[in-house]
Amino acid sequence: MRAIEAMRDNLGEPLTLDDIARAARFSKYHFSRIFVNATGVAPGRYLSALRLEKAKELLLTTDWHVVDIGTAVGYHSVGTFSTRFSRSVGLSPTNYRRFRGFAPRHPAAVSFAPSSRRTTIQGTVSVPPGAEWATLYIGVFPGPIPEGKPLAGTLLSRPGPYELVVSGFDADAAHLSAFSVPSDGMDGGHAMEHTGNWLTGGRPLDGLVPGTTVSVADLPLRPRSEFDLPVLVAAPADSPASDRTPHQRGKYPCAR
């Protein structure tokens, strides 16, 4: 917690591993091992994710120029900031602000990979009793941080079963992530208004074999804690209730 607080308080500063470990009161070698065990990623990777998460917030809650936001979170090159933001969030900083933090809807991607290279993942997702949420998103990402283009993903209108089809993935890196998604801003809101109440969950997908169907144990979502990794990918926009059936609501464009 001391390390994460030091990162959050100094996002615009050139923090080193020594600086962060010192804040945690450990040697940097011992600290790195503890941090990875607690969060699933290295301290530097966590810091980078925190910077982009803060940039998302500033884009939606201030009228600062993109270059000023990049500087505020530790990027002194607007080009580098924009490239890394776009790669992790899925939208450029300008478009993220334009769409109020939601990824615009696109026609669903179609997989042309042969069935022998596709893996079907089936499971269920659950939420705590009494938890508030609008829509649930579950997807497969190349790593533990939900960022970039998912290997597969879907929106669910309620907790329960899901099915994802993945192709062209690294079996050693695939990671299942799920989180609650606010309504898509048609009421004038934006995505970051809801992050404090987000539910989140995830687990690595071990032993995936192309051409098979894998059943995954229940994925329970819980209120986000300080140790949970930031959700960097832009919130997927749901379809307006007036143009979807309950059956269609769970469908969301995904990369397969």
Side-chain angles (χ1 to χ4, degrees), residues 111 113-122 140 151-152 163-171 174 205-216 255-256:
S111 173
S115 58
S116 61
R117 295 193 58 201
R118 297 198 298 263
T119 299
T120 301
I121 301 169
Q122 298 176 335
V140 179
L151 301 173
E163 181 176 291
L164 301 171
V165 179
V166 188
S167 62
F169 63 93
D170 181 349
L205 292 172
D206 299 321
L208 294 185
V209 178
T212 63
T213 297
V214 178
S215 294
V216 179
R256 290 180 173 174

Short mmCIF file of all heavy atoms in Angstrom, two decimals, residues 111 113-122 140 151-152 163-171 174 205-216 255-256:
data_model
loop_
_atom_site.label_atom_id
_atom_site.label_comp_id
_atom_site.label_asym_id
_atom_site.label_seq_id
_atom_site.Cartn_x
_atom_site.Cartn_y
_atom_site.Cartn_z
N SER A 111 -14.14 -14.16 -37.30
CA SER A 111 -12.93 -14.97 -37.34
C SER A 111 -12.95 -15.89 -38.55
O SER A 111 -13.92 -16.59 -38.79
CB SER A 111 -12.81 -15.81 -36.06
OG SER A 111 -11.72 -16.70 -36.18
N ALA A 113 -10.29 -17.93 -38.93
CA ALA A 113 -9.34 -18.99 -38.58
C ALA A 113 -10.06 -20.33 -38.61
O ALA A 113 -11.23 -20.43 -38.26
CB ALA A 113 -8.77 -18.73 -37.19
N PRO A 114 -9.37 -21.39 -39.06
CA PRO A 114 -9.99 -22.71 -39.05
C PRO A 114 -10.33 -23.15 -37.64
O PRO A 114 -9.73 -22.69 -36.66
CB PRO A 114 -8.91 -23.60 -39.68
CG PRO A 114 -7.63 -22.87 -39.47
CD PRO A 114 -7.97 -21.41 -39.53
N SER A 115 -11.32 -24.02 -37.51
CA SER A 115 -11.77 -24.45 -36.19
C SER A 115 -10.65 -25.09 -35.37
O SER A 115 -10.67 -25.04 -34.14
CB SER A 115 -12.93 -25.44 -36.33
OG SER A 115 -12.54 -26.56 -37.11
N SER A 116 -9.66 -25.65 -36.05
CA SER A 116 -8.55 -26.29 -35.34
C SER A 116 -7.68 -25.28 -34.61
O SER A 116 -6.89 -25.65 -33.74
CB SER A 116 -7.68 -27.10 -36.31
OG SER A 116 -7.13 -26.24 -37.30
N ARG A 117 -7.84 -23.99 -34.94
CA ARG A 117 -7.04 -22.95 -34.28
C ARG A 117 -7.87 -22.10 -33.34
O ARG A 117 -7.37 -21.15 -32.74
CB ARG A 117 -6.38 -22.05 -35.34
CG ARG A 117 -5.35 -22.77 -36.22
CD ARG A 117 -4.55 -21.76 -36.99
NE ARG A 117 -3.88 -20.85 -36.08
CZ ARG A 117 -3.44 -19.63 -36.44
NH1 ARG A 117 -3.63 -19.20 -37.68
NH2 ARG A 117 -2.84 -18.86 -35.57
N ARG A 118 -9.14 -22.41 -33.19
CA ARG A 118 -10.01 -21.64 -32.32
C ARG A 118 -10.26 -22.41 -31.02
O ARG A 118 -10.47 -23.61 -31.03
CB ARG A 118 -11.34 -21.33 -33.01
CG ARG A 118 -11.21 -20.48 -34.26
CD ARG A 118 -12.54 -19.85 -34.63
NE ARG A 118 -13.56 -20.84 -34.94
CZ ARG A 118 -13.88 -21.24 -36.15
NH1 ARG A 118 -13.23 -20.77 -37.20
NH2 ARG A 118 -14.84 -22.12 -36.34
N THR A 119 -10.26 -21.68 -29.93
CA THR A 119 -10.56 -22.26 -28.62
C THR A 119 -11.82 -21.61 -28.07
O THR A 119 -11.94 -20.38 -28.05
CB THR A 119 -9.39 -22.04 -27.64
OG1 THR A 119 -8.23 -22.67 -28.15
CG2 THR A 119 -9.73 -22.61 -26.28
N THR A 120 -12.76 -22.42 -27.64
CA THR A 120 -13.99 -21.93 -27.05
C THR A 120 -13.87 -21.98 -25.53
O THR A 120 -13.50 -23.01 -24.96
CB THR A 120 -15.19 -22.78 -27.49
OG1 THR A 120 -15.30 -22.72 -28.92
CG2 THR A 120 -16.48 -22.26 -26.87
N ILE A 121 -14.14 -20.85 -24.90
CA ILE A 121 -14.06 -20.74 -23.45
C ILE A 121 -15.46 -20.53 -22.90
O ILE A 121 -16.16 -19.60 -23.31
CB ILE A 121 -13.15 -19.57 -23.04
CG1 ILE A 121 -11.75 -19.77 -23.61
CG2 ILE A 121 -13.10 -19.42 -21.52
CD1 ILE A 121 -10.87 -18.56 -23.49
N GLN A 122 -15.87 -21.40 -22.00
CA GLN A 122 -17.20 -21.32 -21.41
C GLN A 122 -17.08 -21.22 -19.90
O GLN A 122 -16.20 -21.83 -19.29
CB GLN A 122 -18.03 -22.56 -21.78
CG GLN A 122 -18.27 -22.71 -23.27
CD GLN A 122 -19.01 -23.99 -23.62
OE1 GLN A 122 -18.94 -24.97 -22.86
NE2 GLN A 122 -19.69 -24.00 -24.75
N VAL A 140 -11.01 -11.78 -22.97
CA VAL A 140 -9.70 -12.42 -22.90
C VAL A 140 -8.68 -11.43 -23.44
O VAL A 140 -8.82 -10.93 -24.57
CB VAL A 140 -9.67 -13.72 -23.71
CG1 VAL A 140 -8.28 -14.36 -23.63
CG2 VAL A 140 -10.72 -14.69 -23.20
N LEU A 151 -8.71 -10.32 -27.14
CA LEU A 151 -8.72 -11.47 -28.05
C LEU A 151 -10.14 -11.94 -28.29
O LEU A 151 -10.45 -12.53 -29.33
CB LEU A 151 -7.89 -12.60 -27.44
CG LEU A 151 -6.42 -12.27 -27.15
CD1 LEU A 151 -5.75 -13.41 -26.38
CD2 LEU A 151 -5.67 -11.97 -28.43
N ALA A 152 -11.00 -11.70 -27.34
CA ALA A 152 -12.44 -11.99 -27.45
C ALA A 152 -13.12 -11.27 -26.31
O ALA A 152 -12.50 -11.01 -25.28
CB ALA A 152 -12.72 -13.49 -27.39
N GLU A 163 -19.82 -17.36 -23.27
CA GLU A 163 -19.00 -18.18 -24.16
C GLU A 163 -18.17 -17.25 -25.03
O GLU A 163 -18.68 -16.30 -25.62
CB GLU A 163 -19.87 -19.07 -25.04
CG GLU A 163 -19.05 -19.97 -25.98
CD GLU A 163 -19.91 -20.92 -26.79
OE1 GLU A 163 -20.48 -21.85 -26.17
OE2 GLU A 163 -20.04 -20.71 -28.02
N LEU A 164 -16.87 -17.51 -25.09
CA LEU A 164 -15.94 -16.71 -25.88
C LEU A 164 -15.17 -17.64 -26.81
O LEU A 164 -14.82 -18.75 -26.43
CB LEU A 164 -14.96 -15.96 -24.98
CG LEU A 164 -15.57 -15.00 -23.95
CD1 LEU A 164 -14.50 -14.50 -23.00
CD2 LEU A 164 -16.23 -13.83 -24.65
N VAL A 165 -14.89 -17.15 -28.02
CA VAL A 165 -14.11 -17.92 -28.98
C VAL A 165 -12.85 -17.14 -29.29
O VAL A 165 -12.90 -15.99 -29.71
CB VAL A 165 -14.90 -18.18 -30.28
CG1 VAL A 165 -14.05 -18.97 -31.27
CG2 VAL A 165 -16.19 -18.93 -29.98
N VAL A 166 -11.70 -17.76 -29.05
CA VAL A 166 -10.41 -17.11 -29.18
C VAL A 166 -9.59 -17.82 -30.24
O VAL A 166 -9.58 -19.06 -30.32
CB VAL A 166 -9.64 -17.13 -27.84
CG1 VAL A 166 -8.38 -16.30 -27.92
CG2 VAL A 166 -10.53 -16.65 -26.70
N SER A 167 -8.88 -17.04 -31.05
CA SER A 167 -7.94 -17.63 -32.00
C SER A 167 -6.70 -16.74 -32.07
O SER A 167 -6.76 -15.55 -31.77
CB SER A 167 -8.57 -17.77 -33.39
OG SER A 167 -8.92 -16.51 -33.90
N GLY A 168 -5.59 -17.33 -32.44
CA GLY A 168 -4.35 -16.57 -32.59
C GLY A 168 -3.82 -15.99 -31.29
O GLY A 168 -3.42 -14.84 -31.23
N PHE A 169 -3.82 -16.78 -30.23
CA PHE A 169 -3.39 -16.28 -28.92
C PHE A 169 -2.14 -17.01 -28.44
O PHE A 169 -1.80 -18.09 -28.92
CB PHE A 169 -4.51 -16.47 -27.91
CG PHE A 169 -4.88 -17.92 -27.67
CD1 PHE A 169 -4.30 -18.64 -26.64
CD2 PHE A 169 -5.79 -18.56 -28.50
CE1 PHE A 169 -4.62 -19.97 -26.44
CE2 PHE A 169 -6.11 -19.88 -28.31
CZ PHE A 169 -5.53 -20.60 -27.29
N ASP A 170 -1.49 -16.40 -27.48
CA ASP A 170 -0.36 -17.01 -26.79
C ASP A 170 -0.90 -17.74 -25.57
O ASP A 170 -1.37 -17.11 -24.62
CB ASP A 170 0.66 -15.94 -26.37
CG ASP A 170 1.88 -16.52 -25.67
OD1 ASP A 170 1.86 -17.72 -25.31
OD2 ASP A 170 2.86 -15.78 -25.49
N ALA A 171 -0.87 -19.04 -25.60
CA ALA A 171 -1.49 -19.83 -24.53
C ALA A 171 -0.86 -19.56 -23.17
O ALA A 171 -1.48 -19.79 -22.14
CB ALA A 171 -1.39 -21.32 -24.85
N ALA A 174 -2.60 -15.69 -22.08
CA ALA A 174 -4.02 -15.34 -22.11
C ALA A 174 -4.56 -15.16 -20.69
O ALA A 174 -4.26 -15.95 -19.79
CB ALA A 174 -4.81 -16.41 -22.85
N LEU A 205 -5.54 -17.83 -17.82
CA LEU A 205 -6.12 -18.99 -18.50
C LEU A 205 -4.98 -19.95 -18.84
O LEU A 205 -4.27 -19.77 -19.83
CB LEU A 205 -6.86 -18.56 -19.77
CG LEU A 205 -8.14 -17.74 -19.55
CD1 LEU A 205 -8.65 -17.21 -20.88
CD2 LEU A 205 -9.20 -18.59 -18.86
N ASP A 206 -4.79 -20.93 -18.01
CA ASP A 206 -3.70 -21.88 -18.20
C ASP A 206 -4.17 -23.10 -18.99
O ASP A 206 -5.31 -23.56 -18.85
CB ASP A 206 -3.16 -22.36 -16.84
CG ASP A 206 -2.60 -21.21 -16.02
OD1 ASP A 206 -1.95 -20.33 -16.61
OD2 ASP A 206 -2.83 -21.19 -14.80
N GLY A 207 -3.31 -23.61 -19.82
CA GLY A 207 -3.57 -24.87 -20.49
C GLY A 207 -4.54 -24.80 -21.65
O GLY A 207 -5.17 -25.81 -22.00
N LEU A 208 -4.71 -23.61 -22.27
CA LEU A 208 -5.58 -23.52 -23.43
C LEU A 208 -4.96 -24.25 -24.62
O LEU A 208 -3.78 -24.08 -24.91
CB LEU A 208 -5.83 -22.05 -23.80
CG LEU A 208 -6.61 -21.20 -22.80
CD1 LEU A 208 -6.85 -19.82 -23.39
CD2 LEU A 208 -7.93 -21.86 -22.43
N VAL A 209 -5.76 -25.04 -25.29
CA VAL A 209 -5.30 -25.80 -26.45
C VAL A 209 -6.18 -25.45 -27.63
O VAL A 209 -7.41 -25.58 -27.55
CB VAL A 209 -5.34 -27.32 -26.17
CG1 VAL A 209 -4.90 -28.09 -27.41
CG2 VAL A 209 -4.47 -27.67 -24.97
N PRO A 210 -5.61 -24.98 -28.75
CA PRO A 210 -6.43 -24.65 -29.93
C PRO A 210 -7.27 -25.84 -30.37
O PRO A 210 -6.84 -27.00 -30.30
CB PRO A 210 -5.38 -24.27 -30.98
CG PRO A 210 -4.20 -23.81 -30.19
CD PRO A 210 -4.19 -24.68 -28.96
N GLY A 211 -8.49 -25.55 -30.80
CA GLY A 211 -9.37 -26.59 -31.30
C GLY A 211 -10.17 -27.30 -30.23
O GLY A 211 -10.83 -28.30 -30.51
N THR A 212 -10.14 -26.77 -28.99
CA THR A 212 -10.86 -27.43 -27.89
C THR A 212 -11.85 -26.46 -27.25
O THR A 212 -11.83 -25.26 -27.50
CB THR A 212 -9.88 -27.92 -26.80
OG1 THR A 212 -9.19 -26.79 -26.23
CG2 THR A 212 -8.86 -28.88 -27.39
N THR A 213 -12.71 -27.00 -26.41
CA THR A 213 -13.62 -26.21 -25.59
C THR A 213 -13.19 -26.34 -24.14
O THR A 213 -13.01 -27.47 -23.65
CB THR A 213 -15.08 -26.67 -25.76
OG1 THR A 213 -15.48 -26.47 -27.11
CG2 THR A 213 -16.00 -25.90 -24.83
N VAL A 214 -13.00 -25.22 -23.48
CA VAL A 214 -12.50 -25.21 -22.11
C VAL A 214 -13.58 -24.65 -21.19
O VAL A 214 -14.13 -23.58 -21.45
CB VAL A 214 -11.22 -24.36 -21.99
CG1 VAL A 214 -10.74 -24.32 -20.55
CG2 VAL A 214 -10.14 -24.91 -22.91
N SER A 215 -13.89 -25.37 -20.13
CA SER A 215 -14.82 -24.89 -19.12
C SER A 215 -14.02 -24.26 -17.98
O SER A 215 -13.11 -24.87 -17.43
CB SER A 215 -15.67 -26.04 -18.57
OG SER A 215 -16.51 -26.55 -19.59
N VAL A 216 -14.37 -23.01 -17.66
CA VAL A 216 -13.66 -22.26 -16.63
C VAL A 216 -14.55 -22.17 -15.39
O VAL A 216 -15.76 -21.99 -15.50
CB VAL A 216 -13.31 -20.84 -17.14
CG1 VAL A 216 -12.60 -20.04 -16.07
CG2 VAL A 216 -12.45 -20.94 -18.40
N ALA A 255 -12.49 -8.91 -30.98
CA ALA A 255 -11.47 -9.39 -31.90
C ALA A 255 -11.26 -10.87 -31.65
O ALA A 255 -10.96 -11.27 -30.53
CB ALA A 255 -10.17 -8.61 -31.68
N ARG A 256 -11.42 -11.67 -32.65
CA ARG A 256 -11.28 -13.12 -32.46
C ARG A 256 -10.24 -13.64 -33.42
O ARG A 256 -10.32 -13.45 -34.61
CB ARG A 256 -12.60 -13.82 -32.70
CG ARG A 256 -13.63 -13.52 -31.61
CD ARG A 256 -14.93 -14.24 -31.89
NE ARG A 256 -15.84 -14.07 -30.77
CZ ARG A 256 -17.10 -14.50 -30.81
NH1 ARG A 256 -17.56 -15.10 -31.88
NH2 ARG A 256 -17.89 -14.35 -29.77
#
